[in-house]
Amino acid sequence: MLVFDVGYLQLSYVLLVHAFYGAWCSVGGSLHCEYSNSLTLHRPHSVSITEFGAVGDGVTLNTKAFQNALFYLNTFSDKGGAKLFVPAGQWLTGSFDLISHLTLWLDKGATILGSTARRELPGRRHRSLIYGQNLTDVVITGENGTIDGQGSIWWDWFRNGELNYTRPHLVELMNSTGLIISNLTFLNSPFWNIHPVYCRDVVVKNLTILAPLDSPNTDGVDPDSSTNVCIEDCYIVTGDDLVSIKSGWDEYGISYARPSSKIKINRLTGQTTSSSGIAIGSEMSGGVSDIYIKDLHLFNSNTGIRIKTSPGRGGYVRNVHVSNVKLDNVKKAIRFTGKYGEHPDGNFDTKALPAIEKITFENVSGEDIGVAGLLEGIEGDEFKNICFLNVTLTVKKNSKKAPWRCSNVRGYSQWVSPEITCDSFEESIFPEHSSDCFGLSENNVETSSGLSRSPWLLFW
């Protein structure tokens, strides 16, 4: 089985100087994650993991060293916070919990190796390698150090039906605020790599995330019921979705009602032969809105952008803007799936139908595409105000499938090739329907209809 080595790809180290606390803006059509509150990465207190007896030989189990170091550093949480320094070496460890006002720094050549020992929790799941809940101001960064989940044994256990519990994530943070994960390489996660759930003000930046293309459920970054999330400048090659936005599953997500919102994904490059570059859902019952995806490059992959839902989900996906997408050798460029299925139990309400609306695709190009669009909504619950502007997808000449297939989806299109021949997209965006399309760039609006800046254009 192919398992990526840390030497496979190195990202240049860029020091992230300020923490991100929910500042957003749109200037000249460019989306930015701005830094505010000037919380620097400097911590007044710093210790090395070696001071707590850790040995970086790849064999010695250092779980107690990490736990004891963090217990000690917690005494400085009200004194400006602290830094845990992990030097070059192979640091084998089981699960450990982070603390508030912490910088976990992996130096050049440092690798945290996840122990393959099972760590079962109540609720039929395994504890994530690096975990935290109810935290504030946490930074996981370094000089392109590595977090390696040693997932191959977990994948084998899963394939062989030997696990009764969900596999562990590499990093999972819950109910936390002010998080940065940057300048690292993530390898071979047993399950999802990075899972912020019920979090706010999150930056994921300058990461390389790698797992074999056939590794099961190794999603890259999964923001879940979280708001003000920025994912930028990442290279991801995994066995599942590169980024998957979620917000709860069926009746549980509906009752908890914690949406994912204000999420920006900028300058993402990657590959997945089984899944999607960007997915929304299928667990979206708490709602998903105000999503901005820009400068996505996907190659040799299954699906570009996909929205997944099902009767019983309830919730909504609305106000999504996708722009500047480049697809090379992708089987399905854009896909909506209204009957994804998969439910946590039999208690879901089949009458709880999702609202999917105001989804815009703008400036999308592709070569060697299998199917341009496979757009399947739900009978009696039409997906609406789906807009395509300036979309050019070169479909493979030997493809025997229609480039666009649509059912129970309605919207508008302009400057699309191959042309969307579905009756539900026969109306053009301009001049009558630009206000029905979410987040159109000001340049396209002015060029196409002579409009000056309009109040419905998005500015945060």
Side-chain angles (χ1 to χ4, degrees):
M1 175 180 292
L2 171 67
V3 177
F4 282 105
D5 181 78
V6 65
Y8 177 82
L9 181 63
Q10 296 288 327
L11 284 184
S12 60
Y13 166 63
V14 179
L15 180 61
L16 188 61
V17 182
H18 295 92
F20 169 72
Y21 269 23
W24 304 81
C25 70
S26 175
V27 178
S30 297
L31 298 174
H32 304 279
C33 296
E34 287 198 335
Y35 305 107
S36 64
N37 289 356
S38 298
L39 178 64
T40 68
L41 293 185
H42 173 73
R43 305 288 189 183
H45 307 279
S46 178
V47 297
S48 171
I49 191 64
T50 58
E51 297 176 46
F52 296 83
V55 179
D57 59 4
V59 178
T60 303
L61 188 63
N62 297 297
T63 310
K64 284 295 182 182
F66 277 96
Q67 292 172 343
N68 289 341
L70 291 164
F71 180 80
Y72 168 74
L73 292 177
N74 196 38
T75 61
F76 301 103
S77 63
D78 60 348
K79 302 177 181 67
K83 174 180 175 180
L84 178 58
F85 178 82
V86 182
Q90 303 279 312
W91 308 93
L92 180 67
T93 180
S95 177
F96 58 88
D97 289 7
L98 301 181
I99 59 174
S100 291
H101 309 296
L102 172 75
T103 296
L104 175 62
W105 179 279
L106 280 69
D107 208 30
K108 183 177 181 180
T111 298
I112 291 178
L113 287 173
S115 167
T116 56
R118 301 189 189 189
R119 37 190 187 268
E120 298 170 350
L121 290 171
R124 302 182 65 84
R125 59 197 303 264
H126 284 90
R127 190 176 188 84
S128 300
L129 177 62
I130 300 175
Y131 180 76
Q133 61 177 333
N134 302 320
L135 303 180
T136 300
D137 173 25
V138 174
V139 180
I140 306 173
T141 189
E143 196 169 351
N144 199 33
T146 298
I147 300 174
D148 187 343
Q150 301 197 101
S152 60
I153 190 170
W154 293 93
W155 308 328
D156 289 343
W157 286 335
F158 171 74
R159 292 179 178 119
N160 296 332
E162 299 178 30
L163 292 173
N164 295 320
Y165 291 74
T166 300
R167 286 160 285 149
H169 312 295
L170 279 189
V171 174
E172 183 176 47
L173 300 169
M174 300 183 67
N175 290 303
S176 298
T177 301
L179 311 174
I180 297 175
I181 305 173
S182 68
N183 304 325
L184 297 170
T185 295
F186 285 73
L187 297 179
N188 306 314
S189 178
F191 198 55
W192 304 346
N193 280 268
I194 300 171
H195 184 215
V197 55
Y198 314 133
C199 290
R200 185 180 185 89
D201 303 335
V202 181
V203 168
V204 176
K205 185 175 178 68
N206 292 336
L207 297 185
T208 300
I209 302 176
L210 303 173
L213 292 169
D214 64 348
S215 57
N217 311 113
T218 51
D219 297 26
V221 185
D222 286 10
D224 193 344
S225 294
S226 295
T227 190
N228 287 6
V229 179
C230 182
I231 302 169
E232 286 190 330
D233 302 309
C234 293
Y235 180 89
I236 306 176
V237 176
T238 69
D240 211 304
D241 299 322
L242 307 187
V243 175
S244 184
I245 301 170
K246 305 175 183 292
S247 68
W249 204 0
D250 287 2
E251 67 271 22
Y252 305 104
I254 293 171
S255 62
Y256 206 50
R258 292 285 296 271
S260 279
S261 64
K262 296 184 179 179
I263 296 176
K264 293 180 180 173
I265 304 167
N266 300 332
R267 299 180 299 280
L268 172 68
T269 299
Q271 178 188 18
T272 170
T273 55
S274 65
S275 300
S276 306
I278 307 290
I280 300 177
S282 74
E283 307 95 315
M284 38 62 66
S285 302
V288 176
S289 66
D290 298 309
I291 310 299
Y292 303 86
I293 301 162
K294 187 174 183 181
D295 297 328
L296 169 68
H297 179 207
L298 197 66
F299 58 90
N300 301 336
S301 293
N302 188 344
T303 303
I305 313 289
R306 188 177 186 186
I307 295 176
K308 304 179 284 187
T309 187
S310 188
R313 291 289 193 269
Y316 55 85
V317 177
R318 65 168 64 102
N319 296 353
V320 177
H321 187 262
V322 181
S323 64
N324 294 7
V325 175
K326 186 176 186 293
L327 305 174
D328 294 311
N329 190 29
V330 173
K331 291 181 180 179
K332 294 172 283 290
I334 299 166
R335 186 174 187 184
F336 291 0
T337 305
K339 294 183 179 180
Y340 189 76
E342 294 191 2
H343 302 278
D345 52 40
N347 298 323
F348 64 95
D349 180 3
T350 57
K351 296 180 181 179
L353 299 177
I356 312 298
E357 58 187 356
K358 284 193 169 266
I359 318 292
T360 296
F361 297 87
E362 185 175 3
N363 302 333
V364 178
S365 67
E367 299 287 339
D368 293 323
I369 304 299
V371 175
L374 183 56
L375 313 177
E376 300 171 337
I378 299 172
E379 187 174 358
D381 182 35
E382 191 174 66
F383 299 177
K384 59 186 180 180
N385 291 338
I386 312 301
C387 298
F388 297 93
L389 176 63
N390 194 24
V391 175
T392 302
L393 300 168
T394 302
V395 176
K396 293 181 178 180
K397 293 181 180 180
N398 61 356
S399 178
K400 298 180 180 179
K401 299 178 180 178
W404 296 91
R405 285 179 280 171
C406 319
S407 61
N408 303 301
V409 177
R410 181 171 297 278
Y412 311 97
S413 64
Q414 190 137 7
W415 306 326
V416 176
S417 176
E419 182 182 356
I420 304 178
T421 56
C422 309
D423 292 343
S424 55
F425 284 90
E426 63 183 3
E427 292 189 65
S428 297
I429 294 174
F430 304 110
E432 301 294 331
H433 297 290
S434 58
S435 61
D436 297 316
C437 298
F438 178 72
L440 292 181
S441 71
E442 186 174 2
N443 288 341
N444 274 327
V445 172
E446 290 181 340
T447 300
S448 303
S449 60
L451 293 177
S452 59
R453 183 174 299 181
S454 302
W456 53 267
L457 285 171
L458 176 69
F459 285 93
W460 284 350

